[in-house]
Amino acid sequence: TFLWTERERENKMFSEIPRINISPLIRYYKTQKIDDDDDDLQSVVREIRTALSTSGFLTICGHGVKRKWIEQQMRESRRFFSELSLEQKMEMAVAKSPVFRGYFAVGEEVTLGLPDMKEGIDLGVDLPTTLGPCRGPNQWPPEHLLPTFRHHTTFYFEQMTQLGAALMQGISLSLDLPPDYFARE
């Protein structure tokens, strides 16, 4: 918990979460070319700095992730939870994975000593072998049950990984650090 003085609290107040069009940042991420006179990129970097130093949050647009990809992933997720039986989902239980990947049922996760009233599936970058805690292969539902789940989820995960890397470069720049600072640390 942060203990702010009244004046600091007033300075930290915000009425809405900033929405930032990051298309100049995405353009930079794809080309890795930065010009000192790139006012659009510099403006986005300033907006990120302001957002994260005031509210601590931001929302983004102009990220380049197509709406149809987002909607397809939502459909795949809904199908996983609605079409598979509990028994089928438990075949890929987190407990069966050395890297904590897979399905967890309602009540299996605990927060503050109380069981969580949610079910979920934990996935990550799908690596062929176990490389350490939380780094290794995913457990996937059988293709005959959900034939497009793995393909669409992997594609969407790749898009989100690239978006995350671009955002981290923007955060690095907003802190006057080299753009690849967080990628190498």
Side-chain angles (χ1 to χ4, degrees):
T1 308
F2 295 102
L3 301 174
W4 289 327
T5 67
E6 190 61 34
R7 184 174 182 190
E8 289 170 324
R9 190 178 353 271
E10 287 172 14
N11 290 338
K12 298 288 184 192
M13 297 302 272
F14 63 97
S15 60
E16 61 185 40
I17 296 174
R19 182 178 177 91
I20 302 173
N21 181 338
I22 63 166
S23 55
L25 179 62
I26 297 300
R27 200 169 36 255
Y28 164 71
Y29 176 74
K30 289 179 178 178
T31 64
Q32 292 298 297
K33 292 179 184 171
I34 190 165
D35 298 319
D36 290 335
D37 62 344
D38 189 342
D39 293 338
D40 292 338
L41 178 60
Q42 296 307 319
S43 177
V44 168
V45 168
R46 280 191 304 276
E47 288 180 67
I48 291 171
R49 180 184 325 201
T50 300
L52 296 180
S53 65
T54 55
S55 71
F57 299 95
L58 56 90
T59 59
I60 59 172
C61 60
H63 46 66
V65 179
K66 295 181 181 177
R67 179 166 295 283
K68 69 180 185 177
W69 299 339
I70 297 168
E71 291 169 353
Q72 180 63 44
Q73 187 56 44
M74 293 301 292
R75 280 192 296 278
E76 294 294 336
S77 296
R78 278 190 218 93
R79 287 188 64 215
F80 175 86
F81 291 106
S82 66
E83 294 181 17
L84 296 184
S85 68
L86 178 60
E87 181 179 279
Q88 289 168 324
K89 290 183 268 193
M90 291 305 291
E91 285 297 314
M92 46 183 292
V94 169
K96 296 180 179 184
S97 169
V99 293
F100 310 103
R101 303 273 178 86
Y103 173 77
F104 59 89
V106 173
E108 287 187 355
E109 290 198 339
V110 177
T111 303
L112 299 174
L114 299 172
D116 291 340
M117 305 309 329
K118 67 176 184 199
E119 66 176 335
I121 180 170
D122 287 328
L123 300 170
V125 174
D126 196 22
L127 302 171
T129 60
T130 301
L131 298 177
C134 302
R135 297 186 66 214
N138 288 319
Q139 295 189 80
W140 296 101
E143 267 192 42
H144 70 278
L145 296 175
L146 294 176
T148 58
F149 184 86
R150 183 176 186 163
H151 170 76
H152 285 295
T153 301
T154 300
F155 176 79
Y156 188 73
F157 206 88
E158 289 166 358
Q159 300 305 305
M160 293 297 102
T161 300
Q162 290 177 21
L163 176 56
L167 282 170
M168 292 309 294
Q169 284 190 346
I171 292 169
S172 293
L173 292 168
S174 79
L175 297 169
D176 295 322
L177 296 170
D180 65 342
Y181 180 80
F182 292 111
R184 54 187 161 115
E185 291 300 320

